Amino acid sequence: MLRIGPVQLDSPLLLAPIAGHTDIAFRILCREQGGVGAAYTDLLNSRAILKETERTLDLARTNEFDQPAGMQLYGNSDDPLPEAAIWAVDHGAKIIDINMGCPVDKVAKKSGGSLLLRDCGNTTMLAKRIVDAVTRHTNGRVPVTAKMRLGWDPEHKVAPILARALADIGIAAVTVHARYTVQFFSGSADWNAIGEVVEAVPDIPVIGNGDVTLPEHVTKIMQMSGCTGVMIGRGALRTPWLFRQAKTLLDTGTAGPEPLLGAKLDVVLRHLDLSKEYDGEERALTRMRQHISWYGKTMGHVKPIKESIRLATTFDDAKAVLLAARAEFTDFDFPAVALSRTRHDPHIPTVQHDFLDLTCRNQSSE
Ligand SMILES: Cc1cc2nc3c(=O)[nH]c(=O)nc-3n(C[C@H](O)[C@H](O)[C@H](O)COP(=O)(O)O)c2cc1C
């Protein structure tokens, strides 16, 4: 089991921050699916936090269904990161994470993110100020972690040395996205290189990250690197049930079953409903229009559904599209993924299907 400082997680699998996607509705969706040890907010700007801008308050939202909640902050040595970390604790964060990996110009050219990999000395001092402030404020209850890449470029693979320095000043765990900043998201993640960080910091957990999209990838990245936790980002956007499947693999040696198409549609419907609950119908519709192509990647020939969602002008229209699709696949799903609210929706008609036909359709979608 993964323990981050004083915080014991039920699962070593973490949902990565993905700006624009991992809002509270999506985090709760993944948690409901099972297997998630912790989930993080998108990166939050420390100055915007202290100004309590509407957007940042929105991004920092958490509640009792979203626990343990990690809040990720970004900034540089000139920014009020220690104060922002205290604000985050006071607003529900059980883990504070410092972003040291964002490659996007807006962040990395001036304010932080990957820029912190270019000056390990300064970054360590900054991290110490944050750790000290949070430790004092919480009496050591809330750990501070760092999420980094391997380095700015292959000539500067600083992750092992930086992780060591951070562990020495009290950082409780490091997550390593096994790419360099200059790669952005190209090429593939170097899971072996995470092992160099594991060797450098045997005293704190290392969480491996990058290109984990299947349950088997979780065991592979752990075996290859020796990391004790695994963080999943884009894989979760298309398969929020991946954590449950992978946790089952870790617990039993066999991956949990891939949900059938009907059960996948239940998850999509639940996402839509959670988005409405937290953000209202208009934003829920916008979010689903953006997200449906991620889901579509694992559903086979669902182009008409994706098109209809994209063209839907109201929340009700989008929901009707999904319910109509769902009605075709009512009977042969795994009960483990039944989501009671959607499943008991009286609007879902039951249609009998030939089992073999359905099985073939689902398999052809994998
Ligand atoms: C659109 C997008 C937004 C991201 N936003 C963040 C972010 O806010 N904070 C962060 O630490 N990483 C962010 N990342 C990086 C992911 O957390 C993760 O490290 C990366 O995608 C590799 O993991 P994956 O292959 O499982 O997606 C983002 C990635 C993407 C594709």
Side-chain angles (χ1 to χ4, degrees):
M1 275 307 131
L2 179 60
R3 190 183 174 89
I4 299 182
V7 180
Q8 177 68 56
L9 304 183
D10 292 338
S11 162
L13 308 172
L14 290 79
L15 173 63
I18 298 266
H21 289 278
T22 49
D23 55 16
I24 185 167
F26 187 73
R27 296 198 301 272
I28 290 176
L29 179 80
C30 291
R31 290 177 190 278
E32 284 183 354
Q33 290 297 305
V36 175
Y40 292 82
T41 63
D42 296 7
L43 76 180
L44 308 170
N45 179 295
S46 55
R47 290 183 191 274
I49 279 187
L50 295 176
K51 279 192 203 142
E52 299 199 330
T53 63
E54 198 180 324
R55 170 146 177 76
T56 308
L57 287 179
D58 184 37
L59 291 174
R61 263 184 308 167
T62 185
N63 64 19
E64 71 270 30
F65 305 113
D66 182 34
Q67 294 300 323
M71 288 197 197
Q72 190 190 60
L73 311 178
Y74 79 95
N76 62 29
S77 301
D78 298 328
D79 289 319
L81 276 161
E83 294 80 359
I86 287 172
W87 183 98
V89 169
D90 290 344
H91 289 77
K94 300 289 184 297
I95 301 169
I96 298 292
D97 189 60
I98 312 170
N99 183 311
M100 302 184 183
C102 183
V104 175
D105 275 1
K106 199 176 132 207
V107 174
K109 274 218 168 123
K110 53 184 170 89
S111 338
S114 261
L115 197 65
L116 300 188
L117 300 175
R118 305 200 79 164
D119 185 347
C120 294
N122 240 327
T123 298
T124 307
M125 284 194 288
L126 170 63
K128 180 166 175 10
R129 287 198 288 122
I130 301 168
V131 170
D132 289 350
V134 172
T135 306
R136 252 195 322 272
H137 189 66
T138 67
N139 227 348
R141 244 182 336 103
V142 175
V144 180
T145 61
K147 180 166 179 285
M148 62 180 70
R149 288 187 174 226
L150 295 173
W152 187 269
D153 55 37
E155 284 72 49
H156 301 91
K157 193 198 273 183
V158 298
I161 201 172
L162 178 59
R164 183 63 262 156
L166 293 174
D168 288 341
I169 57 90
I171 286 287
V174 289
T175 302
V176 183
H177 174 194
R179 281 189 175 82
Y180 296 93
T181 305
V182 290
Q183 284 183 276
F184 277 72
F185 292 90
S186 67
S188 38
D190 180 356
W191 292 345
N192 280 316
I194 299 170
E196 295 173 40
V197 182
V198 173
E199 272 177 33
V201 289
D203 43 338
I204 60 169
V206 173
I207 297 154
N209 168 242
D211 300 349
V212 173
T213 56
L214 293 170
E216 297 73 28
H217 291 167
V218 167
T219 41
K220 196 157 181 202
I221 192 174
M222 285 175 146
Q223 278 159 8
M224 282 173 71
S225 69
C227 66
T228 41
V230 178
M231 184 177 272
I232 302 173
R234 289 164 297 174
L237 299 186
R238 62 181 85 139
T239 52
W241 49 85
L242 175 59
F243 301 93
R244 179 184 67 238
Q245 287 184 286
K247 177 75 165 47
T248 307
L249 177 61
L250 290 175
D251 291 346
T252 67
T254 309
E258 173 83 11
L260 295 176
L261 183 53
K264 290 178 180 178
L265 286 166
D266 274 347
V267 178
V268 182
L269 275 158
R270 179 68 179 142
H271 189 178
L272 190 69
D273 282 344
L274 279 167
S275 287
K276 176 183 167 185
E277 200 172 315
Y278 286 98
D279 295 312
E281 292 192 355
E282 205 174 310
R283 266 177 71 183
L285 175 62
T286 311
R287 284 281 154 83
M288 187 50 70
R289 283 207 204 108
Q290 293 161 348
H291 205 112
I292 192 68
S293 56
W294 286 97
Y295 288 132
K297 288 180 207 298
T298 71
M299 290 188 184
H301 301 295
V302 288
K303 202 167 170 202
I305 301 177
K306 288 194 289 184
E307 280 309 303
S308 304
I309 295 284
R310 287 207 200 96
L311 293 173
T313 52
T314 66
F315 175 91
D316 287 341
D317 283 350
K319 186 158 180 176
V321 169
L322 291 169
L323 285 173
R326 179 64 185 88
E328 281 196 60
F329 299 97
T330 301
D331 290 323
F332 300 109
D333 292 340
F334 294 103
V337 285
L339 295 167
S340 53
R341 274 210 234 174
T342 316
R343 192 162 281 271
H344 295 146
D345 190 324
H347 301 295
I348 299 177
T350 304
V351 177
Q352 291 298 325
H353 258 288
D354 174 61
F355 179 72
L356 279 176
D357 176 45
L358 182 68
T359 308
C360 293
R361 284 162 80 173
N362 194 58
Q363 281 172 353
S364 67
S365 75
E366 307 311 336

